[in-house]
Amino acid sequence: MASEATEHGATDSGLTMPKFGELDLEQLVNEPLLPELEPYLRHETAFGTSLHHPLVIEPIAVLSGLANRIYTSKTWALKKAIEDQDWSTVVFIHERPYRLEAFVEHVLNGLATPLVDLSPELKALATEIWSDSENHYEMKQYWDQLLSKRDGALLLADKKGLELYGTLPEELTVYRGDHEDSLRISWSLNRSTGEFFANRFNDRTRALLTGTVKKEHIFGIIMDRNEAEILVDMRQVNIDKE
């Protein structure tokens, strides 16, 4: 993962890493924000001013000089990673809400190609993005396209998920803390996980769903968040009526 720039010169690629001298707090506060960052300022009554750019998120009391340097160094590192086809760095140098968008834009050349048609390496990267994300619904247009074709194989799976998949019965019970403003494809093998998401925000519109699904309909299984997450089309789940 690329870090902030330090005192270096040109690289073999011809890109030149930005140089920063010694900084002090006054300079970081008083330095004007770069013009390309200004459109990404947000002004909220409750929380004040924040910066929400794909490469820089500064939630409160933006230090413009610091934001400028983070943006400059990340922009340089992004160009270098694209040149090197270092796709993991390309994705994860972006702030969390923008990583899937970066995957589509830079790695897939702007076209949300179905995962079934991608290499195992790119499927693995997409799995990392899914596991890292908290805003799946906000990126619904991309996930819908990426998951639009299925060949019966797992499209999203980490190492432990692949291992578990081989041991699953042909029909299994799954749980979900349901709410309609979501993709509604994420379920869990653990009832406690379903209960957690049902009660997460003390939202009375959410409910715990329990159902059964055939293994053949599962297109994702992710274990690295200790949620035993199963991805399956909700229409394929036989939901218990309580």
Coordinates of all heavy atoms in Angstrom, one line a residue, residues 14-57:
G14 N 9.4 7.7 -14.6 CA 9.3 9.0 -15.1 C 8.4 9.9 -14.3 O 8.4 11.1 -14.4
L15 N 7.6 9.3 -13.4 CA 6.8 10.0 -12.5 C 7.7 10.6 -11.4 O 8.6 10.0 -10.9 CB 5.7 9.2 -11.8 CG 4.6 8.7 -12.8 CD1 3.7 7.7 -12.1 CD2 3.8 9.9 -13.3
T16 N 7.4 11.8 -10.9 CA 8.2 12.4 -9.9 C 7.4 12.6 -8.6 O 6.3 13.1 -8.6 CB 8.6 13.9 -10.3 OG1 9.4 13.7 -11.5 CG2 9.5 14.5 -9.2
M17 N 7.9 12.0 -7.5 CA 7.2 12.0 -6.3 C 7.2 13.4 -5.7 O 8.3 14.1 -5.7 CB 7.9 11.0 -5.3 CG 7.2 11.0 -3.9 SD 7.9 9.8 -2.8 CE 7.3 8.3 -3.5
P18 N 6.1 13.9 -5.2 CA 6.1 15.3 -4.6 C 7.0 15.4 -3.4 O 7.2 14.5 -2.7 CB 4.7 15.5 -4.2 CG 4.1 14.1 -4.1 CD 4.8 13.3 -5.1
K19 N 7.7 16.6 -3.3 CA 8.5 16.8 -2.1 C 7.9 17.8 -1.1 O 7.3 18.8 -1.5 CB 9.9 17.4 -2.6 CG 10.7 16.5 -3.6 CD 11.9 17.2 -4.0 CE 12.7 16.3 -5.0 NZ 14.0 17.0 -5.4
F20 N 8.0 17.5 0.1 CA 7.4 18.3 1.2 C 8.5 18.7 2.1 O 9.3 17.8 2.6 CB 6.3 17.6 1.9 CG 5.2 17.1 1.0 CD1 4.7 15.9 1.2 CD2 4.7 18.0 0.1 CE1 3.6 15.4 0.4 CE2 3.6 17.5 -0.7 CZ 3.1 16.2 -0.6
G21 N 8.6 20.0 2.5 CA 9.6 20.4 3.5 C 9.0 20.2 4.9 O 8.0 19.6 5.1
E22 N 9.7 20.9 5.8 CA 9.2 20.8 7.2 C 7.9 21.6 7.3 O 7.7 22.6 6.7 CB 10.2 21.4 8.1 CG 11.5 20.5 8.2 CD 12.5 21.0 9.3 OE1 12.1 22.0 10.0 OE2 13.6 20.5 9.4
L23 N 7.0 21.1 8.1 CA 5.7 21.7 8.3 C 5.4 22.1 9.7 O 6.0 21.5 10.6 CB 4.6 20.7 7.8 CG 4.7 20.2 6.4 CD1 3.6 19.1 6.2 CD2 4.5 21.3 5.4
D24 N 4.6 23.1 9.9 CA 4.2 23.4 11.3 C 2.7 23.5 11.3 O 2.0 23.6 10.2 CB 4.8 24.7 11.8 CG 4.6 25.9 10.9 OD1 3.5 26.1 10.4 OD2 5.5 26.7 10.8
L25 N 2.1 23.5 12.5 CA 0.6 23.5 12.6 C 0.0 24.7 11.9 O -1.0 24.6 11.3 CB 0.2 23.4 14.1 CG -1.3 23.3 14.3 CD1 -1.9 22.1 13.6 CD2 -1.5 23.3 15.8
E26 N 0.6 25.9 12.1 CA 0.0 27.1 11.6 C 0.0 27.0 10.0 O -1.0 27.5 9.4 CB 0.9 28.3 12.0 CG 0.3 29.7 11.5 CD 1.2 30.8 12.0 OE1 2.1 30.6 12.7 OE2 0.8 32.0 11.6
Q27 N 1.0 26.5 9.4 CA 1.0 26.3 8.0 C -0.1 25.4 7.5 O -0.8 25.6 6.6 CB 2.4 25.8 7.5 CG 2.5 25.6 6.0 CD 3.8 25.1 5.6 OE1 4.7 24.9 6.4 NE2 4.0 24.9 4.3
L28 N -0.3 24.3 8.3 CA -1.3 23.3 7.9 C -2.7 23.9 8.0 O -3.6 23.5 7.2 CB -1.2 22.1 8.8 CG 0.1 21.2 8.7 CD1 0.0 20.1 9.7 CD2 0.2 20.7 7.3
V29 N -2.9 24.8 9.0 CA -4.2 25.4 9.2 C -4.5 26.5 8.1 O -5.6 26.6 7.6 CB -4.3 26.0 10.6 CG1 -5.6 26.8 10.7 CG2 -4.3 24.8 11.6
N30 N -3.5 27.3 7.9 CA -3.7 28.5 7.1 C -3.5 28.4 5.6 O -3.9 29.2 4.8 CB -2.8 29.7 7.6 CG -3.1 30.1 9.0 OD1 -4.3 30.0 9.4 ND2 -2.1 30.4 9.8
E31 N -2.9 27.3 5.2 CA -2.6 27.1 3.8 C -3.9 26.9 3.0 O -4.8 26.1 3.5 CB -1.7 25.8 3.6 CG -1.4 25.5 2.1 CD -0.5 24.3 2.0 OE1 0.5 24.3 2.7 OE2 -0.9 23.3 1.3
P32 N -4.1 27.6 1.9 CA -5.4 27.4 1.1 C -5.6 26.0 0.6 O -4.6 25.4 0.2 CB -5.2 28.4 0.0 CG -4.2 29.4 0.4 CD -3.2 28.6 1.3
L33 N -6.8 25.5 0.6 CA -7.1 24.2 0.1 C -6.9 24.2 -1.4 O -7.2 25.2 -2.1 CB -8.5 23.8 0.5 CG -8.9 22.4 0.3 CD1 -8.2 21.5 1.3 CD2 -10.4 22.2 0.5
L34 N -6.4 23.1 -1.9 CA -6.2 23.0 -3.4 C -7.5 23.2 -4.1 O -8.5 22.7 -3.6 CB -5.6 21.7 -3.7 CG -4.1 21.5 -3.3 CD1 -3.7 20.0 -3.6 CD2 -3.2 22.4 -4.1
P35 N -7.6 23.9 -5.2 CA -8.8 24.2 -5.9 C -9.6 22.9 -6.3 O -10.8 22.9 -6.2 CB -8.4 24.9 -7.2 CG -7.1 25.6 -6.8 CD -6.4 24.6 -5.9
E36 N -8.8 21.8 -6.6 CA -9.5 20.6 -7.0 C -10.2 19.9 -5.8 O -11.0 19.0 -6.0 CB -8.5 19.6 -7.7 CG -7.2 19.4 -6.9 CD -6.1 20.3 -7.4 OE1 -6.3 21.5 -7.4 OE2 -5.0 19.7 -7.7
L37 N -9.9 20.3 -4.6 CA -10.5 19.7 -3.4 C -11.7 20.5 -2.9 O -12.6 20.0 -2.2 CB -9.5 19.6 -2.3 CG -8.4 18.6 -2.5 CD1 -7.4 18.6 -1.2 CD2 -8.9 17.2 -2.7
E38 N -11.8 21.8 -3.3 CA -12.8 22.6 -2.8 C -14.2 22.1 -3.1 O -15.1 22.2 -2.2 CB -12.6 24.1 -3.3 CG -11.4 24.8 -2.7 CD -11.3 26.2 -3.3 OE1 -12.1 26.6 -4.1 OE2 -10.3 26.9 -2.8
P39 N -14.5 21.6 -4.3 CA -15.9 21.1 -4.5 C -16.3 19.9 -3.6 O -17.5 19.6 -3.5 CB -15.8 20.6 -6.0 CG -14.7 21.3 -6.6 CD -13.7 21.4 -5.5
Y40 N -15.4 19.3 -2.9 CA -15.7 18.2 -2.0 C -15.8 18.6 -0.5 O -15.9 17.7 0.3 CB -14.6 17.1 -2.2 CG -14.5 16.6 -3.6 CD1 -13.7 17.2 -4.5 CD2 -15.3 15.5 -3.9 CE1 -13.6 16.6 -5.8 CE2 -15.2 14.9 -5.2 CZ -14.4 15.5 -6.1 OH -14.4 15.0 -7.4
L41 N -15.9 19.9 -0.3 CA -16.1 20.3 1.1 C -17.6 20.2 1.4 O -18.5 20.5 0.6 CB -15.7 21.8 1.3 CG -14.2 22.1 1.3 CD1 -14.0 23.6 1.3 CD2 -13.6 21.4 2.6
R42 N -17.9 19.7 2.6 CA -19.2 19.6 3.1 C -19.4 20.5 4.4 O -18.6 20.4 5.3 CB -19.6 18.2 3.4 CG -19.6 17.2 2.3 CD -19.9 15.8 2.7 NE -20.0 14.9 1.6 CZ -20.3 13.6 1.7 NH1 -20.6 13.1 2.8 NH2 -20.3 12.8 0.6
H43 N -20.5 21.3 4.4 CA -20.7 22.2 5.5 C -22.0 21.7 6.2 O -23.1 21.8 5.6 CB -20.9 23.6 5.0 CG -19.7 24.1 4.2 ND1 -18.5 24.4 4.8 CD2 -19.5 24.2 2.9 CE1 -17.6 24.8 3.9 NE2 -18.2 24.7 2.7
E44 N -21.9 21.2 7.4 CA -23.0 20.8 8.2 C -23.1 21.5 9.5 O -22.1 21.8 10.2 CB -22.9 19.3 8.5 CG -22.8 18.4 7.2 CD -22.7 16.9 7.5 OE1 -23.0 16.5 8.7 OE2 -22.3 16.2 6.6
T45 N -24.4 21.9 9.9 CA -24.6 22.7 11.1 C -24.1 21.9 12.3 O -23.4 22.5 13.2 CB -26.1 23.0 11.2 OG1 -26.6 23.7 10.1 CG2 -26.3 23.8 12.5
A46 N -24.4 20.6 12.4 CA -24.0 19.9 13.6 C -22.6 19.6 13.7 O -22.0 19.6 14.8 CB -24.8 18.6 13.6
F47 N -21.9 19.3 12.6 CA -20.5 18.8 12.6 C -19.5 19.8 12.0 O -18.3 19.5 12.1 CB -20.5 17.5 11.9 CG -21.4 16.4 12.5 CD1 -22.5 16.1 11.8 CD2 -21.1 15.8 13.7 CE1 -23.4 15.1 12.4 CE2 -21.9 14.9 14.3 CZ -23.1 14.5 13.6
G48 N -19.9 20.9 11.5 CA -19.0 21.8 10.9 C -18.5 21.3 9.5 O -19.3 20.6 8.8
T49 N -17.4 21.8 9.1 CA -16.9 21.5 7.7 C -16.0 20.3 7.7 O -15.2 20.0 8.5 CB -16.0 22.7 7.2 OG1 -16.8 23.9 7.2 CG2 -15.5 22.5 5.8
S50 N -16.3 19.5 6.7 CA -15.5 18.3 6.4 C -15.1 18.2 5.0 O -15.7 18.8 4.1 CB -16.3 17.0 6.9 OG -17.5 16.9 6.1
L51 N -14.2 17.3 4.7 CA -13.8 17.1 3.3 C -14.1 15.6 2.9 O -13.7 14.7 3.7 CB -12.3 17.4 3.1 CG -11.6 17.1 1.8 CD1 -12.2 18.0 0.7 CD2 -10.1 17.2 1.8
H52 N -14.7 15.4 1.8 CA -15.1 14.1 1.4 C -14.8 13.8 0.0 O -15.6 13.9 -0.9 CB -16.6 13.9 1.6 CG -17.0 12.5 2.1 ND1 -17.1 11.4 1.2 CD2 -17.3 12.0 3.3 CE1 -17.4 10.3 1.8 NE2 -17.6 10.6 3.1
H53 N -13.5 13.5 -0.3 CA -13.0 13.3 -1.6 C -12.6 11.8 -1.7 O -12.2 11.2 -0.7 CB -11.7 14.2 -1.8 CG -11.1 14.1 -3.2 ND1 -10.3 13.1 -3.6 CD2 -11.3 14.8 -4.3 CE1 -9.9 13.2 -4.8 NE2 -10.5 14.3 -5.3
P54 N -12.7 11.2 -2.9 CA -12.3 9.8 -3.0 C -11.0 9.4 -2.5 O -10.8 8.3 -2.1 CB -12.4 9.5 -4.5 CG -13.4 10.5 -5.0 CD -13.2 11.7 -4.2
L55 N -10.0 10.4 -2.4 CA -8.7 10.1 -1.9 C -8.4 10.6 -0.5 O -7.5 10.2 0.1 CB -7.6 10.6 -2.9 CG -7.5 9.9 -4.3 CD1 -6.5 10.7 -5.1 CD2 -7.2 8.5 -4.1
V56 N -9.3 11.5 -0.1 CA -9.0 12.2 1.2 C -10.4 12.4 1.9 O -11.2 13.2 1.4 CB -8.3 13.5 1.1 CG1 -7.9 14.0 2.5 CG2 -7.1 13.5 0.1
I57 N -10.5 11.8 3.1 CA -11.7 12.2 3.9 C -11.2 12.7 5.2 O -10.5 12.0 6.0 CB -12.6 10.9 4.2 CG1 -13.3 10.5 2.8 CG2 -13.7 11.3 5.2 CD1 -14.2 9.3 3.0

